[in-house]
Amino acid sequence: MRFSRISKALGVATVVALAMTACSGGSTGTTNTSADTTKVITAFGGEPQNPLLPANTNEVYGGRVMDLIFSGLLSYDASGKTVNEMADSIDSTDSQNYTIKIKSGEKFSDGSPITAKNFVDAWNFGALSTNAQLNSYFFESIEGYKDVSAMAADGKTAAPTAQTMSGLKVVDDTTFTVKLAQAESDWKLRLGYTAFFPLTEAAIADPKAAGEKPTGNGPYTLKTWNHNAELDLVPNPNYTGPRKPKNAGVTFKVYTTADAAYQDLLADNLDVLDGIPASSIKSFQKDLGDRSIVKAYAGNATLTIPSYLPAFQGEAGQLRRQAISKSIDRNLIIDKIFNNTKKVAKDFTSPVIEGYSDSVSGADVLTYDASAAKKLWDQANAITPWDNSTFTIAYNVDGAGNKEYVDAATNQIKNALGIQAEGKPYATFKELRNDVNKKQLTGASRAGWQADYPSLYNFLGPLYGTGAGSNDGNYSNPAFDAKLKEGLNAKSTDEGNKIFNEAQQILFKDLPVIPLWYQAQTGGWSNNVTGVDFGWNGVPLYYNISGK
């Protein structure tokens, strides 16, 4: 889920089946023959950036916990197909007005009943600007969002004029209605994402306490959170949905480096690892044998260059972004550091998403050409001279391969452009994300996007739409925003995807981020577990893992 997990989407986007199979060695998972359901599974994790509130969790470490301790109206199976969880039905005759019925008799982990009001109140809480939730952008399709979101038509901040969205109405304990600002035929696909989870009345009354000790409705409940060490999840006895745990719990162990996690995996002190460190990428399939996997998923890697950096504004800034993009030899990095487990990016989305195109106009800016890069850099200097500062790329040390590829990229940039360039390490993902969210970067930052559900829009709107929660670089282009809106209102999936690819042409001109490569999950598991597989978004299906 990228540094973030966010989205909106057009099109019933389906994961391409062939792309989701293991692309080299290992297996696509194991079976649960004679499985031991009494085992607690240990899994690789990190310290969540924020308290565990649905509308404020938009990064991978918090997201994987939230998806286990909460359930939305929908969930997504291993292939990305939607499955009803809390929803009994989600109906619409015009793709703008929806009637949602939830299953009766469902309970939160504390035994309190779940009603339609718990969803409506949670969504209003998430959207209201005074609550400062990172995922508030998810609710912008709902009528009345602008009244609660402190966002004026020109994208500038304004005081909220309402406390609730006019498009949400509670009908009875199991029914509520949603009116969107415009017709969006695929809107319900988003309803399995974190932002749309329900909240108890107590959580809304005291979100600080709820973020530390959440009361959810998912297959697990959070037993303890030992900050910067581990998060212990145990099965939720009140859960009745399709993701019933086949184990006695999941403990996420917080690691400061992927190398340490890998050594624990080899020693059978860690059961599941997603993200093999660069130091072991060439040997892990031999080390682990049929306990390894390489599986394409809906994710990509990019470099964000914030628009608030003076040297990267205006025409000179645009030329500099192009120069940096063309100075990076992506193929060489993928070969030498990632052992060819990734593929060079040709757009801003992912090839496993329906509607993907590898021929979007403007994509030539991603082609490595050191000579052309230097010319572009010199053209920028003719407009506004570079201040001779060091160009930096911020990265988190606790992520697999980050240091290695950032070191390689900055060395290539330095050689091609004749400037000083180096990595700027952060000890943890949380620390990096904090500076990113505070808009305190002094250079570029590495980023990765893990889709929330299969859609082109999921890779575009949440990251580059004006005011979007995961728009790290503060990018804003009214023409791009208009294309997104046009795509969302298209009459068919194919038409919408065509328009979204037209929107990407604008991104290639502006380069708010520099696409690097498409992701494939590299992972492994211990000798002590069975039933391991990874979903369409690269996340292990924790609930399906058992002991041997």
Side-chain angles (χ1 to χ4, degrees):
M1 11 171 126
R2 168 218 185 198
F3 52 88
S4 281
R5 315 163 46 103
I6 288 211
S7 70
K8 250 175 36 174
L10 182 120
V12 182
T14 317
V15 177
V16 179
L18 289 177
M20 294 306 297
T21 59
C23 52
S24 65
S27 71
T28 57
T30 59
T31 59
N32 277 49
T33 305
S34 302
D36 176 11
T37 59
T38 65
K39 176 176 170 55
V40 174
I41 308 302
T42 57
F44 172 79
E47 177 72 4
Q49 180 191 5
N50 297 307
L52 296 173
L53 292 170
N56 207 40
T57 300
N58 73 340
E59 46 75 35
V60 291
Y61 293 139
R64 62 185 58 191
V65 175
M66 294 297 287
D67 286 346
L68 293 180
I69 64 176
F70 279 91
S71 288
L73 296 165
L74 307 172
S75 61
Y76 309 100
D77 68 13
S79 67
K81 180 182 177 181
T82 58
V83 179
N84 277 4
E85 282 250 7
M86 289 296 298
D88 186 53
S89 62
I90 303 173
D91 297 319
S92 178
T93 58
D94 60 3
S95 299
Q96 184 173 11
N97 295 277
Y98 288 82
T99 297
I100 299 175
K101 291 184 176 294
I102 65 172
K103 297 173 182 176
S104 61
E106 296 292 331
K107 299 177 181 179
F108 285 104
S109 59
D110 65 355
S112 60
I114 302 173
T115 68
K117 188 174 184 296
N118 292 117
F119 281 94
V120 170
D121 288 351
W123 295 7
N124 279 320
F125 175 85
L128 187 62
S129 61
T130 50
N131 291 327
Q133 301 293 284
L134 290 173
N135 284 339
S136 62
Y137 182 77
F138 266 95
F139 305 104
E140 60 98 27
S141 295
I142 300 174
E143 184 180 79
Y145 171 78
K146 289 184 178 179
D147 297 329
V148 303
S149 67
M151 184 65 70
D154 60 1
K156 297 180 180 179
T157 57
T161 58
Q163 297 295 301
T164 59
M165 291 179 282
S166 59
L168 295 178
K169 303 290 184 185
V170 175
V171 177
D172 55 41
D173 281 350
T174 60
T175 311
F176 67 102
T177 60
V178 183
K179 182 177 182 180
L180 306 183
Q182 66 174 18
E184 295 180 11
S185 60
D186 72 322
W187 177 77
K188 73 176 186 179
L189 291 179
R190 308 164 202 170
L191 298 180
Y193 177 59
T194 312
F196 295 99
F197 294 158
L199 285 173
T200 63
E201 291 184 11
I204 292 175
D206 190 354
K208 183 177 180 180
E212 183 67 22
K213 183 65 175 175
T215 299
N217 63 321
Y220 297 87
T221 185
L222 180 63
K223 181 181 179 181
T224 57
W225 181 359
N226 185 4
H227 286 277
N228 300 303
E230 63 182 31
L231 296 95
D232 298 316
L233 279 60
V234 296
N236 173 12
N238 292 320
Y239 178 75
T240 62
R243 297 180 293 148
K244 201 71 175 177
K246 296 179 181 179
N247 51 61
V250 178
T251 295
F252 288 103
K253 300 174 68 174
V254 176
Y255 286 89
T256 56
T257 68
D259 288 288
Y262 186 67
Q263 292 305 312
D264 268 2
L265 183 71
L266 291 177
D268 286 337
N269 293 324
L270 178 70
D271 290 322
V272 186
L273 172 63
D274 54 314
I276 301 297
S279 60
S280 302
I281 200 69
K282 293 184 178 181
S283 64
F284 83 101
Q285 289 171 294
K286 181 180 179 181
D287 294 342
L288 299 171
D290 62 4
R291 294 184 290 113
S292 65
I293 192 170
V294 180
K295 189 172 184 177
Y297 71 92
N300 63 21
T302 60
L303 291 182
T304 300
I305 303 180
S307 62
Y308 54 77
L309 300 178
F312 290 93
Q313 296 174 351
E315 183 181 358
Q318 190 175 47
L319 290 167
R320 287 194 175 103
R321 293 168 189 272
Q322 295 171 9
I324 289 170
S325 179
K326 295 185 78 67
S327 68
I328 299 174
D329 189 340
R330 297 161 176 78
N331 277 311
L332 184 61
I333 292 175
I334 290 173
D335 178 29
K336 299 299 182 182
I337 295 176
F338 297 114
N339 199 34
N340 293 310
T341 56
K342 304 179 187 297
K343 293 186 177 180
V344 171
K346 296 183 178 180
D347 81 328
F348 293 82
T349 67
S350 167
V352 303
I353 299 296
E354 182 179 319
Y356 164 81
S357 173
D358 63 0
S359 57
V360 177
S361 178
D364 58 305
V365 74
L366 304 182
T367 303
Y368 170 65
D369 188 333
S371 177
K374 185 62 166 67
K375 290 179 181 178
L376 289 165
W377 191 263
D378 290 343
Q379 290 175 30
N381 285 340
I383 299 171
T384 304
W386 180 247
D387 61 6
N388 292 321
S389 62
T390 299
F391 177 75
T392 60
I393 299 177
Y395 67 92
N396 51 300
V397 176
D398 59 350
N402 290 342
K403 180 183 187 304
E404 291 82 358
Y405 93 69
V406 168
D407 284 348
T410 52
N411 189 55
Q412 291 173 350
I413 292 168
K414 179 168 56 178
N415 291 337
L417 304 182
I419 64 172
Q420 290 299 311
E422 63 185 24
K424 183 178 180 180
Y426 284 74
T428 66
F429 186 57
K430 176 180 179 178
E431 292 172 7
L432 172 60
R433 292 304 307 164
N434 284 341
D435 272 5
V436 168
N437 288 342
K438 293 175 184 177
K439 312 303 180 188
Q440 293 180 347
L441 294 176
T442 56
S445 67
R446 65 145 295 272
W449 184 255
Q450 175 185 301
D452 305 304
Y453 55 89
S455 67
L456 290 185
Y457 183 89
N458 183 224
F459 286 84
L460 303 176
L463 287 89
Y464 314 118
T466 298
S470 293
N471 188 339
D472 288 351
N474 271 15
Y475 174 70
S476 179
N477 185 323
F480 177 75
D481 293 340
K483 273 294 179 185
L484 292 184
K485 186 174 182 180
E486 181 184 351
L488 287 172
N489 202 27
K491 295 181 180 180
S492 70
T493 298
D494 290 343
E495 180 185 349
N497 286 334
K498 179 181 177 181
I499 295 169
F500 288 140
N501 283 327
E502 291 173 357
Q504 289 200 75
Q505 296 178 27
I506 298 173
L507 293 182
F508 273 125
K509 291 179 181 178
D510 295 342
L511 277 184
V513 306
I514 296 172
L516 296 176
W517 41 75
Y518 303 124
Q519 301 283 32
Q521 188 59 276
T522 56
W525 50 95
S526 75
N527 286 295
N528 301 322
V529 294
T530 185
V532 181
D533 200 1
F534 293 70
W536 69 277
N537 59 355
V539 179
L541 304 176
Y542 301 106
Y543 61 89
N544 203 44
I545 303 172
S546 301
K548 284 187 175 180

